[in-house]
Amino acid sequence: MKTTLKRAPLALAVSLASALSAAPSLAQQAGATALEEVVVTARKRTENLQDVPIAVSAFSAADLAIQGVDDITDLQYSLPNTTLQVSRGTNTTLTAYIRGIGQQDPLWGFEPGVGIYVDDVYIARPQGAVLDVLDVENIEVLRGPQGTLYGKNTIGGALKYTTRRVGNEPTFEVEGTVGDYQRRDLKVMGSVPIIEDTLFISGGAAVLKRDGYGEFRNTGADNYNKDVATGHLKLEWRPSDSLALILAGDKTRDTSNAKGGYRLTPSLITGQQPYSSVFDSDTSLPTDNLVETEGASLHAIWDISDRWQLKSITAYREGRTDTPIDFDATAVASVDVPAIYEDDQTTQEFQLNYSGDRFNAVGGLYYYEGNACGVFDLILGVFNTTVENGGCVDTESYSAYFQGAYDVTEALSLSFGGRYTQDEKSASVYRNVYLGARYPDSGGGTLVAVQSDFDDSDSWGEFTPHLGVQYTFNDNLMAYASYTSGFKSGGYDMRANISVNPNGDEPFDPETVDAYEIGFKSTLWDRRLRLNAAAFYNDYTDMQVTVQRAVGGADFASQVLNAGASEMQGFELELVAALTDALTLSATYGYIDAEFTELEWFDPNAQANVDVSDQWVISNTPEYVYNIGVQYDLDIGGWGTTLLASAAYRDDVHIFEVPSVLDEEGYTLYNASIVLRSPNERWTLGLHGKNLSDEEYRIAGYNFAATYDDQGNLVAAGLGGEDTVTGFYGDPRTIAFTVNYAF
């Protein structure tokens, strides 16, 4: 049922903030100390979090260490209306959604709805984007379109990962972690001034290993294991007080086994029943898996004057993924998909910042050139056939952006800006059917049919504006309202099957969103309480939805639809309170009502257009989420000690656009940490427990199911003659002990 945005939650929160600002100070009564100021660079300049009129959450290196955050997917439980999860069948591919906007399908050539930035360099591919925490200064997550501030696609929001800067004092840090499932991690980080005040070198490296949470029953290989090596190196030259040049390089190599899914139903071919552990599987493919990503960048930062700063960011990145995916999770090659993805990108950004007494602004020019290629083979053993899909897409993107903020009075500020983007894409796609088994890296089979073979190109351009108003009532309370338009360009379906979808060679259109947001930020009770709230409404046009359907048992069809219209509306709350000198309470809450209002698709089985706006759902977007945490600080024998406990709830979530048995019911994760710091602050010991109740929760899956009648009788087998309904799950209960030494 369609609903309208309710004013009650925001009105209640504003009333609460007003009441608290006038109430006696609870913190004074309890004798608590004030909360530390949180500094962010979300708007490309250093600001107090409470002065920034956008919904942004920030995590310092200390925050991440206390919580035992291993990679960026851990952050989703502390963020309202945000999904950051490992994609199906992978170890380091990211599924990211913010306020209902994201990328469900990690196929090559598709553009993510959430922008990932590492030291201001845009990461175009989801493969390898599950970033491990290494040598981090801070991580900021911005919700809502950010195109007037950031380089490439940020239609849904942006995650900004910033590594540590260096100084004149040499630093060295080594960290080791051991835990159950034979976890053994080693991280080494440091920096050295080669020439004082002028030349510095810094970097970090990590080896992260863990045995599997389960196994492949028919081979004995680990399932859900981890084997990652990563590192980065930076050389920073400051030839003068006004100029800095930073040359950086990084590389990550993930050789963890390919993940096997858990069968939710018995196999129609082998009779295999669902195993007792969701982390156990079978496979008919080798489990060898490789994801490599690497890149280099050059930052030039010139402080022209006290008011003007010019930045140039030049970067190159490339990656390769070689992965075997066993959809059906049996020892028989019923629905096997070995795949290879390769991509590279070159980006150049020029950014000019101005900081004045009443006017601040950032503007820039951005260029992106990328090439993404891939090939996968759908091996259908029962039919002794293979469908091979492959091709490349080349992208060139040019854009200019600007955002300024003008202080009309000491209390009233206006922000305004815009972005123009011009994207050009050319694609080549082929789809062949072979008799026998065929593999991307070794060939095989006999060609019997060509289902697609086309080359095409197209271009799209769009101007997206931003308008905002901010009013500061006093030092403790600020309110804001904004309108921002977001844009993501069109493209081509790299799985197009023209034999069943005659229009499959036509490009899909760009998607746009008009995003409205109102909110407030408050610092109350003598700076012991930070209470921030935001309400939003997204009017989405031509939302890109990827759809895959089996056509009979021996073929499948893919489409990238442009949903005519969809809406997302919701509310977010973030709270931190220093209740006493030792005790701190934190909480976040997010609510979203997301739905399609217009949606029609071409059913390849019925060969007809069908209105599904009342049947389909927005995936990877729980209706509400919340997190409650308490932190207690004390001194034990001169060692500073922090005790942390939290509970994070995520409501029911749909894995795909159509409700299915894969959908996960709401669940709560309980985490706890004990962290001790030595008197000289060189040693840090941490004991971290995650998912302490050992909750079983599904985060992804494959659904090419058989059809049954109301009495449970088989009507028709699914893809490959199987009943393929396989799920992938979040981590079980884990305990880890970390020792960190730094000087």
Side-chain angles (χ1 to χ4, degrees):
M1 180 179 68
K2 184 177 179 181
T3 60
T4 57
L5 183 61
K6 297 179 177 64
R7 297 181 181 179
L10 184 64
L12 176 62
V14 171
S15 300
L16 176 62
S18 301
L20 289 175
S21 62
S25 170
L26 175 66
Q28 279 184 330
Q29 298 168 10
T33 56
L35 294 170
E36 291 185 2
E37 179 180 298
V38 177
V39 175
V40 297
T41 57
R43 294 198 295 176
K44 300 299 180 73
R45 63 180 189 267
T46 301
E47 298 176 281
N48 185 332
L49 173 70
Q50 298 304 94
D51 297 331
V52 180
I54 56 177
V56 56
S57 302
F59 303 87
S60 67
D63 296 331
L64 301 173
I66 291 174
Q67 297 177 35
V69 172
D70 296 316
D71 60 55
I72 61 173
T73 63
D74 285 340
L75 298 179
Q76 74 167 343
Y77 299 105
S78 301
L79 293 165
N81 294 322
T82 301
T83 294
L84 299 170
Q85 292 180 161
V86 178
S87 298
R88 55 187 185 244
T90 72
N91 300 284
T92 53
T93 299
L94 182 67
T95 295
Y97 276 72
I98 294 179
R99 293 178 175 175
I101 301 175
Q103 178 189 13
Q104 189 268 344
D105 194 339
L107 190 69
W108 74 90
F110 288 5
E111 297 186 4
V114 176
I116 306 296
Y117 296 85
V118 178
D119 289 335
D120 289 330
V121 175
Y122 170 71
I123 308 298
R125 69 192 310 244
Q127 287 82 15
V130 177
L131 304 173
D132 289 289
V133 172
L134 175 67
D135 205 26
V136 175
E137 182 75 26
N138 58 59
I139 297 175
E140 299 173 17
V141 180
L142 294 75
R143 298 183 292 280
Q146 305 295 331
T148 56
L149 290 168
Y150 283 78
K152 193 65 170 61
N153 289 324
T154 51
I155 186 171
L159 186 149
K160 184 177 180 181
Y161 182 110
T162 304
T163 59
R164 280 188 279 200
R165 293 292 300 271
V166 298
N168 280 320
E169 294 296 324
T171 65
F172 175 77
E173 188 173 343
V174 59
E175 180 176 293
T177 301
V178 295
D180 43 14
Y181 301 98
Q182 295 298 307
R183 177 177 173 180
R184 52 217 184 271
D185 298 346
L186 180 63
K187 300 179 182 180
V188 178
M189 299 152 280
S191 64
V192 177
I194 300 174
I195 302 175
E196 186 175 358
D197 294 328
T198 304
L199 188 62
F200 312 84
I201 188 169
S202 66
V207 176
L208 312 169
K209 293 180 179 291
R210 187 198 65 237
D211 291 352
Y213 298 139
E215 67 175 358
F216 292 95
R217 293 282 192 93
N218 64 318
T219 68
D222 279 349
N223 194 19
Y224 286 78
N225 72 321
K226 186 171 185 176
D227 192 349
V228 174
T230 183
H232 68 268
L233 191 65
K234 290 197 294 186
L235 181 66
E236 182 168 346
W237 180 37
R238 303 173 189 167
S240 69
D241 291 339
S242 61
L243 180 63
L245 301 174
I246 305 170
L247 180 64
D250 68 90
K251 183 170 184 176
T252 297
R253 180 180 174 88
D254 176 13
T255 55
S256 314
N257 290 345
K259 279 185 181 176
Y262 172 75
R263 289 195 60 87
L264 276 71
T265 60
S267 168
L268 297 180
I269 295 175
T270 69
Q272 175 187 317
Q273 300 294 310
Y275 288 130
S276 58
S277 170
V278 297
F279 300 109
D280 285 351
S281 186
D282 281 341
T283 185
S284 57
L285 288 168
T287 56
D288 296 338
N289 177 70
L290 173 66
V291 179
E292 280 189 324
T293 60
E294 57 187 305
S297 64
L298 176 63
H299 288 61
I301 306 170
W302 179 27
D303 293 325
I304 303 171
S305 67
D306 291 341
R307 297 184 181 273
W308 292 93
Q309 183 188 70
L310 178 65
K311 288 184 181 180
S312 170
I313 305 171
T314 307
Y316 173 81
R317 297 198 64 81
E318 64 181 23
R320 176 183 172 91
T321 298
D322 190 343
T323 184
I325 309 172
D326 191 329
F327 277 42
D328 60 287
T330 69
V332 176
S334 303
V335 191
D336 287 0
V337 186
I340 295 174
Y341 308 143
E342 292 182 328
D343 70 279
D344 61 74
Q345 65 176 73
T346 301
T347 57
Q348 174 62 56
E349 182 173 5
F350 294 106
Q351 183 187 116
L352 185 63
N353 292 273
Y354 175 78
S355 179
D357 295 332
R358 300 180 66 176
F359 180 66
N360 294 278
V362 56
L365 300 173
Y366 186 82
Y367 172 76
Y368 170 93
E369 187 276 328
N371 174 264
C373 296
V375 58
F376 67 86
D377 287 307
L378 171 60
I379 303 171
L380 304 171
V382 170
F383 298 95
N384 193 32
T385 61
T386 299
V387 179
E388 182 171 274
N389 224 142
C392 294
V393 58
D394 296 325
T395 302
E396 273 196 302
S397 178
Y398 309 83
S399 57
Y401 62 90
F402 169 82
Q403 182 166 316
Y406 178 70
D407 295 333
V408 181
T409 67
E410 290 186 358
L412 179 65
S413 179
L414 302 178
S415 62
F416 49 89
R419 176 190 185 89
Y420 181 77
T421 302
Q422 179 70 35
D423 282 357
E424 301 173 2
K425 291 188 179 182
S426 59
S428 61
V429 178
Y430 73 89
R431 183 185 175 99
N432 300 330
V433 181
Y434 295 85
L435 185 64
R438 181 178 176 84
Y439 296 87
D441 53 352
S442 57
T446 302
L447 180 66
V448 294
V450 176
Q451 295 182 323
S452 295
D453 186 8
F454 66 88
D455 297 272
D456 198 9
S457 61
D458 209 339
S459 62
W460 304 270
E462 187 80 11
F463 175 76
T464 50
H466 164 81
L467 293 171
V469 59
Q470 173 182 351
Y471 191 83
T472 302
F473 295 93
N474 52 51
D475 291 342
N476 299 322
L477 180 63
M478 176 270 286
Y480 67 93
S482 67
Y483 160 76
T484 308
S485 181
F487 167 81
K488 188 170 76 172
S489 72
Y492 292 88
D493 181 4
M494 305 308 293
R495 301 191 192 94
N497 184 351
I498 297 176
S499 67
V500 295
N501 182 10
N503 298 322
D505 59 343
E506 297 178 2
F508 52 86
D509 292 331
E511 61 180 23
T512 58
V513 63
D514 291 317
Y516 304 86
E517 182 175 326
I518 57 174
F520 72 83
K521 296 189 175 183
S522 60
T523 306
L524 311 168
W525 283 341
D526 290 338
R527 311 193 70 80
R528 274 79 166 179
L529 172 65
R530 188 160 52 238
L531 177 65
N532 299 339
F536 62 89
Y537 172 76
N538 292 341
D539 186 4
Y540 218 144
T541 304
D542 288 332
M543 181 180 183
Q544 296 164 7
V545 183
T546 61
V547 181
Q548 299 178 66
R549 293 290 185 274
V551 181
D555 202 359
F556 79 101
S558 169
Q559 296 178 55
V560 182
L561 305 177
N562 286 112
S566 55
E567 296 178 350
M568 298 89 174
Q569 51 198 346
F571 172 73
E572 297 167 351
L573 183 70
E574 295 180 282
L575 176 149
V576 181
L579 302 180
T580 71
D581 281 340
L583 182 63
T584 302
L585 170 70
S586 61
T588 62
Y589 176 84
Y591 165 80
I592 185 170
D593 175 21
E595 63 176 359
F596 293 110
T597 55
E598 297 177 17
L599 178 59
E600 187 176 272
W601 81 298
F602 178 78
D603 186 335
N605 290 292
Q607 288 290 296
N609 290 320
V610 181
D611 184 345
V612 292
S613 56
D614 291 333
Q615 304 169 34
W616 288 15
V617 293
I618 307 296
S619 64
N620 295 289
T621 304
E623 183 178 10
Y624 65 93
V625 297
Y626 64 77
N627 176 286
I628 299 175
V630 291
Q631 178 177 322
Y632 190 77
D633 296 299
L634 68 159
D635 185 280
I636 300 178
W639 286 66
T641 304
T642 297
L643 308 178
L644 180 70
S646 66
Y649 177 80
R650 290 177 67 82
D651 197 24
D652 302 354
V653 65
H654 298 287
I655 303 297
F656 291 111
E657 73 284 347
V658 177
S660 72
V661 297
L662 282 173
D663 294 343
E664 179 59 35
E665 296 181 353
Y667 61 90
T668 303
L669 298 185
Y670 300 96
N671 301 328
S673 297
I674 304 173
V675 178
L676 295 90
R677 294 167 297 278
S678 65
N680 61 10
E681 297 187 352
R682 291 191 174 183
W683 291 93
T684 302
L685 312 178
L687 181 65
H688 305 283
K690 297 181 180 179
N691 189 10
L692 292 175
S693 62
D694 204 19
E695 182 75 20
E696 183 181 288
Y697 59 102
R698 191 163 44 249
I699 59 176
Y702 293 107
N703 187 20
F704 293 96
T707 303
Y708 296 86
D709 62 21
D710 293 339
Q711 287 73 44
N713 300 310
L714 179 66
V715 174
L719 184 63
E722 253 292 6
D723 184 18
T724 297
V725 185
T726 52
F728 297 87
Y729 293 79
D731 293 352
R733 176 173 51 234
T734 58
I735 307 295
F737 178 66
T738 296
V739 178
N740 179 288
Y741 178 76
F743 69 84

